[in-house]
Amino acid sequence: MPVAPTRVPQQERSRATQARLLEATVACLVEHGWSGTTTILVAARAGVSRGAQLHHYPTRAALVTAAVAHLTERRAAELRTEAEAVPAGPRRLDRVVDLLAAAFTGPLFVAALELWVAARTDPELRDALVPLEARVGREMHRLTVELLGVDERRPGVREAVQTTLDLLRGLGVANLLSDDSARRTALLHTWKRQLAALLTPDAGPPEAGPPDAGAAPGSERP
């Protein structure tokens, strides 16, 4: 007797379609930038119909912000998995910083940077991106605290974590136009030593900064 083909549930097909659209969006942003990432191009690259794309994401701003949010969550899960393989000890901080640095030089960071620049002059994109960036920034900060295993109640720890993220972001930008790996490696080597001193409980609290340093709304970005 012939076997009847297995029907894929509609909800599962819908999730698969969304995943293809989000992956294709990030790829287009990396290759073509914001101006070249049209919804028509994304739909074609994802292999879905224009109608299906509009059903899930009716505007380009909705599509690209959903793509960045989706892949940011996936990358955070990957970082946790990678960090689980890093043993405890004095070398763990070095390895965690290296893992975070890689996150600021990969395709997702390039795609996000395209959106940051475009949002400066695109009100619709900016309105969609600002709340996403605030949420992603908080989650990235929380993830870094978790991976480093530090206590933010200690004076200076919160600022040290945020400074690390700001440094890694800046180094990621510097690497966009040319290979900046040698300078980045040297700077990170120095910062790792300073960060270890700042985060070591018996090293005493670091010099206090201005009140509420690093806690301003929107200061934590991915």
Side-chain angles (χ1 to χ4, degrees):
M1 295 290 292
V3 178
T6 303
R7 293 181 60 85
V8 179
Q10 175 61 34
Q11 187 176 20
E12 186 175 336
R13 293 200 303 270
S14 179
R15 285 197 298 266
T17 297
Q18 288 177 315
R20 290 201 303 272
L21 284 167
L22 299 179
E23 296 280 354
T25 300
V26 171
C28 287
L29 284 169
V30 172
E31 293 180 17
H32 306 291
W34 166 252
S35 61
T37 300
T38 65
T39 52
I40 294 175
L41 179 63
V42 170
R45 182 165 190 143
V48 305
S49 69
R50 172 75 166 146
Q53 180 262 305
L54 289 172
H55 171 73
H56 291 291
Y57 306 104
T59 67
R60 183 166 65 146
L63 177 61
V64 296
T65 52
V68 171
H70 166 73
L71 291 186
T72 296
E73 291 171 3
R74 194 185 73 181
R75 183 56 184 140
E78 291 172 351
L79 280 171
R80 285 190 175 92
T81 300
E82 292 168 2
E84 287 176 358
V86 180
R91 299 295 298 174
R92 178 175 174 82
L93 181 146
D94 288 19
R95 183 61 181 136
V96 167
V97 171
D98 288 340
L99 289 174
L100 293 169
F104 285 97
T105 55
L108 178 57
F109 178 72
V110 175
L113 189 60
E114 284 286 338
L115 299 187
W116 297 343
V117 174
R120 188 180 68 85
T121 55
D122 187 321
E124 180 188 7
L125 179 59
R126 183 170 62 250
D127 290 344
L129 192 61
V130 167
L132 170 63
E133 288 298 306
R135 177 169 63 84
V136 169
R138 289 191 297 270
E139 292 174 355
M140 190 65 170
H141 186 100
R142 189 180 304 115
L143 174 63
T144 304
V145 170
E146 176 187 330
L147 296 183
L148 291 172
V150 294
D151 184 356
E152 283 196 293
R153 293 172 297 181
R154 288 189 58 245
V157 170
R158 177 181 176 83
E159 292 79 4
V161 169
Q162 192 57 48
T163 298
T164 301
L165 292 174
D166 290 343
L167 171 63
L168 296 177
R169 185 181 305 106
L171 291 174
V173 173
N175 196 63
L176 285 176
L177 297 180
S178 61
D179 184 1
D180 197 47
S181 56
R183 188 176 73 97
R184 182 171 66 251
T185 299
L187 289 173
L188 287 181
H189 177 76
T190 299
W191 176 244
K192 288 171 185 176
R193 306 286 73 74
Q194 296 177 359
L195 181 62
L198 289 169
L199 299 181
T200 301
D202 57 7
E207 182 178 348
D212 297 324
S219 63
E220 297 165 3
R221 300 180 182 273

